[in-house]
Amino acid sequence: MRKWINETVTGVCDFDGCTVGETGVCALERDPASCEHHVGKEPSESADGAEDENDQSDLATIGAPVLEHQTGMSAFPASRTLGPDAISKMMASRYVNVIGILGDPEAGKTACLASLYLMISNAKLAGWNFADSKSLKAFEDIARGAREWDAGNPPDQMTVHTELSDDRQPGFLHLRLVRESDGRRVDLALPDLPGEWTTELIGTSRVDRFEFMKSAEVIWIVLDGRALESKERRQGVISRVGQLAGRIVTLFSGKIPRLVLVTTHRDSGELPDTVQARLIAELGKRDVTATIVPVAPFSNDEEVKPGFGLEDLISTTTAGDRSLSEFWPSADPIEGTRSYISYRRDR
């Protein structure tokens, strides 16, 4: 054993760029055994010629990584949720779909985001593929609870309650997807907001924290499907949806983004048509329309798979492409007129 160690190299080197472990030649032209950057030592022998236990552990370091991080190696982004400034910078470089997400506490907002991440990371989101994310750590944080439970023994709550370090600014999750049908790339900025923000928006009309929604194309209003199924709680939820729609109209002072009512807990039962009609009618009192998308981020029903409806939610969210007007419309010439000179008078 001693002869083999001496013939190769007795350990590894912590000098950046040195290949003594592969070539046996010191980059500083020194004796590898005496170089100050040398890590490890020759195994010593006891009096009877046997190797010590400590020597065995020293041998285990041979061939181990020298540095924890090297220049040029890729790494996950250090950030968790992204601030508004980061989203604004991203929007300056490419088109970003900002989504507004509202809903009372325990409605299932964070569960939707966690399930969406788990679906796309496992290639389970039909019609969509993962392309990039600037907030993988944040997604991992909210999805950790769903990863750490034993089959057959689910916890009472899959995700933790959202808390923000800054009570005045939202934290965004970023997800870039590719649509399989046409290869279109979509960047989504998804705020993970505490339900208390929505509660205060309805009760006190505090809108200063929702300025970011003026850049949103779509607003998700997440509703607890179990509450809508309950006859005792249903009317309260419907009334609050109308109040929230009124606050949104006031916030935008005019035309509002498209609204999507996201009803969670589809695994507990299908929302009756009569309840959907009542929701639409309540919004109609504020001259607001919406699309209803039932989802089941997680499921206790074998017939309803976890992540049910999320592909429809993403498709509905990204389907509002604005049609471009014709830059220079053509018109048939009229004899005896000079269209170019009359252009401004004709309009």
Side-chain angles (χ1 to χ4, degrees):
M1 174 64 73
R2 177 181 294 278
K3 182 178 179 182
W4 181 83
I5 291 292
N6 286 338
E7 286 179 348
T8 55
V9 177
T10 59
V12 293
C13 179
D14 63 2
F15 182 78
D16 190 13
C18 185
T19 59
V20 66
E22 293 78 21
T23 65
V25 179
C26 177
L28 301 177
E29 299 182 357
R30 301 174 182 173
D31 180 4
S34 60
C35 180
E36 60 181 339
H37 297 284
H38 174 76
V39 178
K41 62 178 181 179
E42 293 185 10
S44 60
E45 293 181 358
S46 58
D48 58 359
E51 295 179 358
D52 295 336
E53 293 182 0
N54 293 336
D55 298 333
Q56 293 287 350
S57 62
D58 289 338
L59 289 175
T61 63
I62 298 177
V66 177
L67 301 176
E68 294 183 358
H69 177 74
Q70 296 180 4
T71 303
M73 295 180 64
S74 60
F76 288 137
S79 65
R80 293 197 173 187
T81 55
L82 305 176
D85 291 342
I87 297 299
S88 296
K89 184 177 180 180
M90 189 183 303
M91 294 175 68
S93 62
R94 59 177 178 267
Y95 193 86
V96 177
N97 293 73
V98 178
I99 312 300
I101 304 179
L102 301 173
D104 288 329
E106 310 301 329
K109 301 181 298 301
T110 302
C112 287
L113 297 176
S115 183
L116 175 63
Y117 169 66
L118 294 174
M119 292 281 288
I120 196 65
S121 63
N122 288 279
K124 299 288 187 180
L125 191 67
W128 297 90
N129 293 316
F130 174 80
D132 189 20
S133 175
K134 303 300 183 184
S135 57
L136 283 178
K137 284 189 176 182
F139 272 119
E140 280 295 322
D141 283 345
I142 65 174
R144 185 176 297 117
R147 294 181 184 276
E148 297 178 350
W149 59 278
D150 298 328
N153 297 292
D156 294 333
Q157 188 170 333
M158 289 289 188
T159 58
V160 297
H161 180 72
T162 300
E163 295 181 359
L164 300 180
S165 57
D166 189 340
D167 188 50
R168 295 167 296 177
Q169 292 188 345
F172 288 90
L173 298 164
H174 168 253
L175 197 60
R176 193 176 200 192
L177 305 177
V178 179
R179 190 162 59 191
E180 292 180 352
S181 61
D182 57 4
R184 178 192 173 195
R185 296 177 181 269
V186 177
D187 284 271
L188 301 176
L190 305 157
D192 185 20
L193 305 180
E196 288 77 11
W197 282 28
T198 300
T199 302
E200 291 187 16
L201 175 62
I202 296 175
T204 65
S205 188
R206 181 179 177 182
V207 299
D208 58 296
R209 297 180 294 197
F210 295 96
E211 286 296 316
F212 75 92
M213 288 210 306
K214 294 183 178 180
S215 299
E217 295 186 12
V218 179
I219 296 176
W220 298 352
I221 299 180
V222 183
L223 306 175
D224 189 340
R226 297 168 301 183
L228 287 170
E229 292 174 8
S230 170
K231 294 181 179 180
E232 294 77 13
R233 303 168 59 190
R234 179 181 300 159
Q235 185 55 47
V237 175
I238 294 175
S239 297
R240 288 178 63 80
V241 169
Q243 294 171 7
L244 182 56
R247 299 299 190 195
I248 294 173
V249 171
T250 302
L251 173 64
F252 284 88
S253 302
K255 186 177 180 180
I256 67 174
R258 290 186 296 117
L259 292 187
V260 178
L261 300 185
V262 184
T263 59
T264 60
H265 296 282
R266 171 61 179 80
D267 55 307
S268 297
E270 187 174 359
L271 196 65
D273 292 340
T274 54
V275 177
Q276 297 188 37
R278 289 173 61 181
L279 284 168
I280 297 301
E282 185 68 26
L283 293 176
K285 296 177 182 178
R286 278 82 177 176
D287 296 325
V288 174
T289 60
T291 302
I292 300 177
V293 179
V295 300
F298 305 101
S299 177
N300 291 319
D301 186 349
E302 294 182 356
E303 296 183 0
V304 179
K305 295 182 178 180
F308 173 89
L310 291 180
E311 61 270 19
D312 293 335
L313 178 58
I314 296 301
S315 297
T316 300
T317 299
T318 58
D321 297 338
R322 297 180 180 178
S323 58
L324 298 178
S325 59
E326 189 176 357
F327 178 71
W328 195 294
S330 60
D332 296 331
I334 300 176
E335 186 176 357
T337 63
R338 303 181 64 179
S339 298
Y340 181 79
I341 295 178
S342 303
Y343 175 76
R344 294 187 181 279
R345 291 200 301 269
D346 293 342
R347 283 162 174 76

